[in-house]
Amino acid sequence: MPVTSLRPHRRFAVRQKVRIAHSAGHYANGLLIELSIRGCRISNSDQTVFANGDPVTLEIGGFAPIHANVR
């Protein structure tokens, strides 16, 4: 069963470098690989550990920062 059928909003495949800024002041780099109106999926992130519910800011070149929570 495709993952898109388990989610309320369709996700689109993308490939974009992203920097994840943790509210505690540390950063991680990753690759944004899926995007929807309500969320995204980031792969290949650095070794920084993020916990469920952590507030983060996604920094994507050419766009305003996106404030989000880890899920």
Side-chain angles (χ1 to χ4, degrees):
M1 178 181 308
V3 173
T4 55
S5 66
L6 301 175
R7 300 188 183 278
H9 301 283
R10 184 172 177 201
R11 286 195 173 190
F12 296 90
V14 294
R15 185 177 172 91
Q16 178 68 43
K17 290 181 182 179
V18 62
R19 184 175 185 193
I20 309 155
H22 193 280
S23 62
H26 53 273
Y27 295 88
N29 293 307
L31 185 64
L32 179 65
I33 60 172
E34 290 182 355
L35 183 64
S36 79
I37 195 167
R38 300 275 302 172
C40 67
R41 181 176 174 190
I42 298 172
S43 179
N44 298 335
S45 65
D46 293 341
Q47 296 299 323
T48 307
V49 177
F50 296 99
N52 191 23
D54 283 352
V56 296
T57 301
L58 303 178
E59 300 170 0
I60 304 168
F63 295 94
I66 300 169
H67 302 285
N69 292 311
V70 176
R71 294 175 62 190

